[in-house]
């Protein structure tokens, strides 16, 4: 069965300050964003009609654009208001939001200084990222042959579209081998994250997670660290090497889309969907729903 294409849907997209019918929210094939990856985006979720951490996501969108030197034509408050407006326009209550900003077509070449920045925000109803059954058993990860680049090689603090080329290559490689997602090592060979989510491990009742010095310090990551600390759980942000993996009992991913997702296997190594993963998944679910 053919998948329903994302550009062929009913609904409305906020684009450059206006509400545009979904199928007409287009940009030109010559735009700089397409040719040279001058494009940044966000992924956000709304629960019970409220966007979770809307301000943090708007701030990160503007910060990502600034890292790429892309002038951003709206304030954080304007983006927050636009997100609420597009949710209301589409009647989305529990869903996903995709703000995206890209450079236009005024200039063709590597320099983009003469281009204007376009911004669009789409939203749609969206259930859990991973198959719910897999969430209970834990998803499977395989170490990617591709690595996260050094921070002086790529703008790793920006949620820049260009960085996802590595993620897509990695995800395709591991999907071909029958795994759900890729474990990304960084340029030093340290454990970094998954392709669209951060990673945590549990050992002796304590949480371990890599230092986000060459990948996104996710909003969910920071939220889960705060929830863990509130619950009296020790959180160690530290270097983690592949040879450390057998010492951990539990493993989970965090991300807007993934929420808190248990990992059951990395390569040939098994992890239990244990008490800390379940506890933090539960507290995170309550928090996002405002309970
Ligand atoms: C590469 C990558 N790492 C981590 C994350 C998690 O970030 P957040 O929790 O802000 O969604 C994401 C998702 O945006 C991502 O794409």
């Amino acid at each position: 069965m053919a998948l329903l294409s994302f550009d062929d849907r009913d609904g409305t997209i906020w684009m450059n300050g206006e509400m545009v019918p979904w199928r007409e929210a287009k940009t030109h094939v010559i735009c700089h964003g397409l040719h040279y990856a001058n494009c940044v985006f966000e992924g956000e979720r709304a629960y019970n009609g409220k966007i979770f951490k809307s301000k943090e996501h708007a701030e990160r969108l503007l910060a990502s654009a600034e890292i790429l030197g892309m002038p951003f034509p709206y304030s954080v408050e304007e983006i927050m208001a636009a997100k609420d407006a597009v949710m209301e326009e589409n009647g989305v209550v529990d869903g996903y939001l995709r703000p995206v900003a890209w450079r236009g077509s005024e200039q063709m070449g590597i320099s983009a200084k003469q281009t204007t920045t376009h911004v669009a925000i789409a939203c749609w109803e969206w259930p859990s990222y991973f198959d719910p059954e897999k969430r209970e058993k834990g998803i499977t990860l395989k170490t990617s042959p591709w690595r996260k680049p050094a921070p002086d090689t790529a703008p790793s603090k920006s949620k820049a579209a260009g960085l996802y080329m590595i993620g897509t290559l990695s995800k395709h490689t591991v999907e071909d081998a029958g795994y759900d997602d890729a474990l990304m090592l960084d340029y030093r060979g340290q454990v970094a994250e998954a392709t669209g989510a951060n990673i945590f491990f549990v050992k002796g009742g304590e949480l371990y997670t890599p230092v986000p010095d060459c990948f996104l310090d996710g909003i969910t990551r920071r939220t889960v660290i705060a929830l863990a600390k509130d619950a009296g759980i020790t959180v160690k942000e530290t270097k983690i090497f592949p040879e450390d993996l057998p010492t951990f009992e539990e493993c989970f991913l965090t991300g807007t889309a993934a929420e808190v997702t248990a990992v059951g296997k990395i390569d040939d190594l098994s992890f239990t969907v244990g008490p800390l993963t379940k506890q933090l998944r539960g507290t995170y679910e309550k928090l996002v729903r405002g309970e």
Side-chain angles (χ1 to χ4, degrees):
M1 193 179 71
L3 287 174
L4 177 65
S5 174
F6 262 88
D7 58 10
D8 185 17
R9 290 181 164 225
D10 295 331
T12 306
I13 291 179
W14 182 95
M15 189 164 168
N16 297 327
E18 284 171 30
M19 292 294 179
V20 179
W22 190 285
R23 293 177 182 84
E24 290 165 30
K26 294 183 176 171
T27 190
H28 200 274
V29 291
I30 288 301
C31 80
H32 213 280
L34 181 62
H35 290 250
Y36 298 98
N38 269 296
C39 177
V40 295
F41 68 100
E42 273 303 315
E44 315 183 28
R45 264 185 193 259
Y47 299 90
N48 297 335
K50 192 172 180 306
I51 303 167
F52 184 63
K53 306 267 182 194
S54 181
K55 186 159 190 272
E56 285 84 344
H57 282 284
E59 285 170 348
R60 187 168 69 186
L61 182 68
L62 269 71
S64 293
E66 195 179 348
I67 291 170
L68 296 201
M70 192 190 293
F72 201 87
Y74 301 100
S75 65
V76 165
E77 290 69 29
E78 285 168 332
I79 290 297
M80 288 171 69
K83 290 190 286 185
D84 287 337
V86 78
M87 284 256 302
E88 195 174 330
E89 185 79 21
N90 288 284
V92 169
V93 178
D94 286 291
Y96 186 77
L97 287 105
R98 171 52 60 89
V100 58
W102 68 100
R103 284 189 186 264
S105 313
E106 292 86 350
Q107 203 178 354
M108 182 42 76
I110 292 177
S111 179
K113 288 183 189 265
Q114 306 304 321
T115 59
T116 50
T117 303
H118 298 260
V119 184
I121 306 171
C123 67
W124 56 89
E125 293 286 342
W126 209 43
S128 193
Y129 183 44
F130 292 111
D131 178 335
E133 196 194 310
K134 279 194 180 148
R135 274 188 93 203
E136 294 314 310
K137 284 190 357 201
I139 62 157
T140 57
L141 305 185
K142 181 172 169 57
T143 305
S144 171
W146 297 92
R147 290 192 174 187
K148 302 294 290 187
D152 61 356
T153 305
S156 44
K157 290 286 157 198
S158 165
K159 197 165 162 62
L163 297 174
Y164 285 83
M165 179 178 59
I166 305 168
T168 301
L169 281 166
S170 300
K171 190 119 181 172
H172 287 179
T173 306
V174 304
E175 281 176 352
D176 287 347
Y179 288 76
D180 297 311
D181 201 357
L183 173 69
M184 307 297 303
L185 303 183
D186 71 15
Y187 63 104
R188 296 162 294 203
Q190 295 173 21
V191 170
E193 56 169 1
T195 58
N198 293 116
I199 195 160
F200 285 79
F201 298 93
V202 176
K203 178 165 55 179
E206 295 179 330
L207 274 189
Y208 290 76
T209 191
V211 183
D213 58 5
C214 63
F215 56 87
L216 270 193
D217 178 8
I219 292 167
T220 319
R221 177 185 185 277
R222 295 203 296 265
T223 304
V224 166
I225 288 176
L227 287 174
K229 287 184 177 168
D230 282 353
I233 300 162
T234 302
V235 183
K236 294 186 173 163
E237 294 185 65
T238 181
K239 289 178 193 171
I240 299 173
F241 289 90
E243 32 305 2
D244 300 327
L245 297 184
T247 67
F248 296 119
E249 298 136 21
E250 301 174 37
C251 174
F252 61 85
L253 303 182
T254 63
T256 296
E259 302 174 310
V260 174
T261 293
V263 173
K265 195 173 145 189
I266 301 179
D267 300 321
D268 294 329
L269 205 62
S270 293
F271 296 91
T272 50
V273 181
L276 267 193
T277 304
K278 287 183 180 161
Q279 179 187 338
L280 289 166
R281 186 168 67 192
T283 10
Y284 183 76
E285 276 166 11
K286 282 201 176 117
L287 178 75
V288 294
R289 297 193 175 277
E291 289 165 10

